[in-house]
Amino acid sequence: MTREARRYVLAAAVVAALGIVWCVAYLTVGAGTEAIAYAFAPLGGVFATVAVHRLLGTRGLPPVARRFWRTMLAAVVLISSGYAWFAADILVHYREAGTRSMPLPAAACAAIGFLIAIWAMIRVPVVPAEGVEWWRMLLDRAIGFLGCAVVLWYAGLAPMIDAADPWSPQAMVLTGLGLLVALGAATKVSYVAGGPVDRDAIRLMAAAGGVTAAIVTVIAVRLGPAGSVPAQAIVMPLTPLLATLAVLAQARADLGPRRAPGRGGVVLPYLAVAAADVPLVAVALGAPLSWPSRVVLLAAVLVTVLVTLRQYLAFRENVRLLHSTRVQEERLQYEVSHDGLTGLANRALFRDRLAAALAAAEPAHVLLVDLDDFKTVNDLLGHGVGDELLVSVARLLRAEAGPHGLPVRVGGDEFAVLLTGAEPEALAARLLAALDQPLSGHRLLVQASIGIAAAGPGATVDSVLRDADVAMYTAKQRGKAGFVRYADGMGEPVLAHMQLGGELRRALDHDEFRVVYQPILRLEDRRVVGVEALVRWQHPTRGTIGPAEFIPAAERTGLIVPLGRFVLRETCRQAARWRAEFGPGALLEAGLNVSARQLHDPDFVADVTAALADTGLPYEHLVLEVTESAVLRGQQVSRTLHELDRLGVRLALDDFGTGESSLSLLRAFPAAIVKLDKSFVDGIEIDDGQPAAADARQAVARAVIQLARAFGLDTVAEGVESAEQAAVLRELGYTLGQGYHLAEPLTADGVSRLLARQQPASPARALSGIDG
């Protein structure tokens, strides 16, 4: 379509050029008659009509653009028809060409065409707007329209009307309508959203009506009726030429992306106000105050009113935007400085306030509050319940901190209070007392360990927080659910504990851990039937370190998982070696302790399976010992234990009787062995001559063996320290035990010597048949 549109542009340009050539010839040598001048505009209109029609036949033209050009086709046809009628009338009455007016039907036809063109402009979509923005755009367009109209009226139509030898009313009406097309398009195109009607096409259609009308107006004012020949031969043919150029612009626009609207909508009102001031300046400089000038003055007043309204709307919008910006800044500032879950101040605001208190040398204290065993809530009840509990704790902190305290959520289940002008110990006591009551909708009890540090002279933000953290950690070491105030030197053992974690990592990398084995013996004949693996740290400078010193650090740092994996593989390897050396019946079971942290590891079952597969140790010969507290650590632990039981691994409930749910565990936990805790073995042998007291000391041991038999479980008594204890345990029904009286923890070679010494003896009976 673009190539075809170029041909129509060329044809219209040829018609316009012919009009110029003829007009020059007519004015210089008198070629032809004046009536010929009226034929060029309708001739060019034929090409404009065909161009628009061919554009409508283009595929892919958007519906809105098709509607615009269909309406424009009707306008071009009517305007061209009106002027063709006028040309035919002039040619018939060529002798009256200089004085004959346009026939009323022809003028009406052209006028209707101009009105249809105006209607087509009105229907072009503009930038979408709502509310205040819609009113602002409406006022801008009204200001632009009136401002430009004032200039066109003062410089064009008014002089035509007041001329000594005026043109016919038909000519002035059509000229005015042409100027209206230009005004409407100029106002409209500033707000067109870049498509589907091309902005350049609208500009050219506006020029087709407005430029020619403006030039005709100037000619009419300056030359009067004598200007009709150049107006008709030179100026009027520009209208179809510009219309065909508009078709070409639309055809080109359909081939590529639309251009975004420019800034005309912003600049137009200001240009219009400046244009309206031009006639006012002319009047002020002495121009006669005729009725056209009065119209200009009234229009200028109206423009001023509209500008005032526009500025009022802009003022209100600016006030709203400033308020919205201020609210948004406050909201962003709040979000940056507060915790999203609890609404408390966050770590950043806490540090800022603490720094300000230190700079002002204001007496202040920091209370670091850490919830004890909060992870159990998330594991057993889910993170949703845990979040509700955190929100309840935050609410409690707000209530107890009062006006002198800033409650803060430091992160996770750790909170803090920055306290000024109050006693920190009193607040800590109130917090612990308040935590004795159930919290949240789930009525949960939670305890906390609180560390207190003073923000004294010379302190820094980091040093105060470090002291509070040390005090809180010390409170946990002292049994939790309490508070401790920091004192000089308190951080040394904590620092040593933290350094111990770093040394553990190095020890794992350098194979400094060793596994020893405490034999499990049959009480009747001291025969070894199993072993419990125990880990020792062979430190390069400190020598052998017991598990009581480094296991808590391994738990805290998460290194218990790789350490436990090492103990598991070493135990399985050594047990398989003993079975190969001394026979399958020489050692029936090899056990090791497993922590809750290991059971939470999703790869733990795979680690066990791989260790047994690599060493060839049967599943039923491996015993994993689990404490009651570990069993109660959530669904993940329960799933892991049941999966191990299905594989055939035997599970032992270690330290039985020390927890709070021992009896229920015997039903829920897939245990095969119950190990009586050492605390119930201590003193069991004492004979003070009081049978009732002796029965009381033996009551738990007796109850455990009876429960185990009822559930079909094997039993092992731990911590047997004397022959008297072993004798009492045998009388109560225990057949297996371990402890320093029976055998101390031994290296693998030591266990091998024990197994070698008992080789000539008859094969040991299986554990599963001993206690039955």
Side-chain angles (χ1 to χ4, degrees):
M1 176 60 200
T2 304
R3 183 178 300 175
E4 191 175 358
R6 288 197 186 99
R7 290 200 296 265
Y8 294 124
V9 171
L10 180 60
V14 169
V15 172
L18 289 175
I20 296 173
V21 171
W22 178 87
C23 183
V24 172
Y26 174 79
L27 294 176
T28 55
V29 297
T33 176
E34 181 180 343
I36 297 175
Y38 295 85
F40 294 102
L43 181 59
V46 172
F47 295 109
T49 301
V50 176
V52 176
H53 181 266
R54 295 295 296 167
L55 177 65
L56 289 171
T58 305
R59 291 184 179 180
L61 190 66
V64 174
R66 188 175 299 279
R67 182 187 66 188
F68 171 80
W69 287 105
R70 187 183 298 115
T71 309
M72 275 298 178
L73 177 62
V76 171
V77 168
L78 287 172
I79 294 171
S80 299
S81 299
Y83 279 98
W85 190 334
F86 185 25
D89 181 76
I90 290 294
L91 288 172
V92 171
H93 304 88
Y94 66 94
R95 295 182 185 279
E96 305 172 11
T99 58
R100 189 170 180 82
S101 299
M102 189 176 190
L104 286 177
C109 185
I112 294 173
F114 278 116
L115 292 174
I116 291 175
I118 294 172
W119 173 245
M121 297 286 184
I122 292 174
R123 298 182 69 191
V124 174
V126 297
V127 178
E130 295 180 355
V132 175
E133 182 64 18
W134 185 87
W135 283 104
R136 184 195 66 78
M137 190 173 70
L138 180 64
L139 285 172
D140 285 349
R141 294 168 68 183
I143 293 169
F145 185 87
L146 283 175
C148 295
V150 167
V151 175
L152 294 176
W153 166 262
Y154 186 79
L157 286 179
M160 286 181 68
I161 296 172
D162 280 349
D165 192 5
W167 284 24
S168 66
Q170 297 93 311
M172 289 189 288
V173 168
L174 293 178
T175 301
L177 289 175
L179 294 175
L180 279 178
V181 171
L183 284 174
T187 307
K188 188 81 172 186
V189 78
S190 299
Y191 299 94
V192 173
V197 182
D198 185 70
R199 291 160 55 84
D200 289 338
I202 297 177
R203 289 190 177 99
L204 289 167
M205 291 302 292
V211 171
T212 55
I215 297 174
V216 168
T217 300
V218 173
I219 292 174
V221 172
R222 297 300 179 186
L223 302 178
S228 61
V229 171
Q232 294 294 331
I234 298 176
V235 180
M236 295 298 293
L238 295 177
T239 296
L241 174 60
L242 291 170
T244 55
L245 286 172
V247 172
L248 178 61
Q250 182 68 58
R252 285 177 174 174
D254 291 338
L255 299 178
R258 309 294 183 190
R259 289 180 296 171
R263 296 181 55 84
V266 177
V267 177
L268 180 63
Y270 300 98
L271 294 178
V273 172
D277 289 339
V278 172
L280 293 180
V281 172
V283 172
L285 293 178
L289 192 61
S290 59
W291 71 270
S293 299
R294 291 187 175 89
V295 172
V296 169
L297 292 175
L298 291 175
V301 171
L302 183 56
V303 169
T304 303
V305 172
L306 293 177
V307 170
T308 303
L309 289 175
R310 171 67 176 84
Q311 292 303 109
Y312 174 71
L313 286 180
F315 170 75
R316 288 192 56 184
E317 184 67 10
N318 290 337
V319 170
R320 186 189 67 81
L321 289 175
L322 287 174
H323 176 72
S324 177
T325 302
R326 191 180 303 111
V327 170
Q328 187 175 10
E329 288 178 353
E330 292 174 355
R331 180 177 58 82
L332 290 175
Q333 183 63 33
Y334 180 86
E335 291 178 354
V336 168
S337 59
H338 288 76
D339 175 57
L341 175 64
T342 63
L344 296 180
N346 61 14
R347 182 188 292 269
L349 180 58
F350 176 50
R351 291 180 67 90
D352 290 344
R353 295 287 180 85
L354 179 56
L358 290 171
E362 181 181 1
H365 291 83
V366 170
L367 287 80
L368 196 60
V369 183
D370 187 82
L371 303 183
D372 297 330
D373 303 318
F374 178 76
K375 188 175 184 299
T376 305
V377 177
N378 282 337
D379 290 340
L380 295 178
L381 302 178
H383 289 275
V385 176
D387 288 347
E388 290 183 23
L389 181 58
L390 292 176
V391 172
S392 298
V393 172
R395 191 179 303 117
L396 183 149
L397 286 175
R398 284 196 194 92
E400 297 297 337
H404 300 291
L406 173 68
V408 180
R409 186 187 180 196
V410 179
D413 61 339
E414 193 171 77
F415 297 84
V417 178
L418 176 59
L419 192 65
T420 57
E423 287 297 325
E425 286 83 357
L427 174 58
R430 291 201 307 272
L431 290 174
L432 294 176
L435 289 172
D436 282 338
Q437 303 299 320
L439 295 177
S440 81
H442 295 269
R443 308 291 294 168
L444 299 177
L445 283 173
V446 64
Q447 295 177 326
S449 298
I450 303 176
I452 303 173
T460 64
V461 171
D462 291 330
S463 67
V464 173
L465 294 179
R466 183 181 63 247
D467 293 346
D469 194 50
V470 169
M472 182 271 292
Y473 189 83
T474 304
K476 284 188 176 294
Q477 287 185 321
R478 293 181 182 179
K480 303 180 180 181
F483 65 86
V484 172
R485 187 184 184 113
Y486 178 80
D488 292 339
M490 187 177 287
E492 294 178 3
V494 176
L495 179 61
H497 192 75
M498 296 176 65
Q499 292 174 338
L500 185 62
E503 290 194 60
L504 280 172
R505 179 72 268 176
R506 180 192 54 77
L508 278 169
D509 295 337
H510 291 80
D511 297 325
E512 295 178 4
F513 290 100
R514 302 289 181 266
V515 178
V516 297
Y517 304 90
Q518 185 170 39
I520 299 174
L521 280 67
R522 192 163 53 191
L523 295 178
E524 182 181 359
D525 55 9
R526 302 289 185 90
R527 184 177 182 82
V528 177
V529 295
V531 293
E532 179 183 350
L534 305 172
V535 66
R536 298 290 186 265
W537 183 1
Q538 195 64 38
H539 197 278
T541 59
R542 298 172 57 189
T544 302
I545 302 177
E549 185 173 349
F550 66 82
I551 288 297
E555 288 276 4
R556 179 178 58 83
T557 59
L559 293 175
I560 192 67
V561 173
L563 178 59
R565 188 181 300 119
F566 160 75
V567 175
L568 170 66
R569 298 193 69 87
E570 184 64 19
T571 302
C572 292
R573 185 193 63 80
Q574 187 59 56
R577 182 177 177 182
W578 283 324
R579 282 173 52 82
E581 183 177 355
F582 300 107
L587 191 71
L588 299 177
E589 291 177 343
L592 66 148
N593 291 286
V594 178
S595 72
R597 190 74 173 262
Q598 290 176 270
L599 295 173
H600 272 288
D601 182 12
D603 297 327
F604 181 69
V605 175
D607 289 341
V608 173
T609 304
L612 293 172
D614 292 344
T615 60
L617 184 69
Y619 282 86
E620 64 272 13
H621 285 264
L622 177 65
V623 176
L624 299 180
E625 300 183 12
V626 187
T627 62
E628 296 178 24
S629 60
V631 174
L632 297 173
R633 292 297 292 271
Q635 296 180 354
Q636 173 64 33
V637 171
S638 178
R639 285 193 297 268
T640 299
L641 293 174
H642 281 85
E643 188 172 353
L644 290 169
D645 179 63
R646 286 192 296 271
L647 291 173
V649 176
R650 305 191 75 200
L651 302 177
L653 197 57
D654 197 15
D655 301 334
F656 186 77
T658 59
E660 299 178 357
S661 306
S662 301
L663 298 180
S664 63
L665 280 180
L666 292 178
R667 285 187 174 275
F669 175 54
I673 303 169
V674 172
K675 302 190 76 171
L676 179 68
D677 187 68
K678 181 182 183 299
S679 61
F680 301 116
V681 176
D682 292 341
I684 198 174
E685 80 286 3
I686 297 176
D687 185 4
D688 54 3
Q690 299 180 10
D695 288 343
R697 285 190 290 272
Q698 300 172 9
V700 174
R702 183 180 294 108
V704 169
I705 190 67
Q706 291 173 351
L707 285 170
R709 286 174 174 172
F711 285 100
L713 306 177
D714 294 335
T715 56
V716 177
E718 297 181 300
V720 180
E721 305 292 343
S722 66
E724 291 78 11
Q725 290 178 348
V728 173
L729 289 169
R730 283 200 308 272
E731 292 175 4
L732 292 175
Y734 287 88
T735 58
L736 298 177
Q738 67 181 101
Y740 276 74
H741 169 68
L742 301 175
E744 295 184 4
L746 304 171
T747 63
D749 291 340
V751 175
S752 295
R753 287 192 291 270
L754 281 180
L755 294 175
R757 284 200 297 268
Q758 70 182 24
Q759 275 298 96
S762 60
R765 290 175 293 166
L767 277 173
S768 59
I770 292 177
D771 295 325

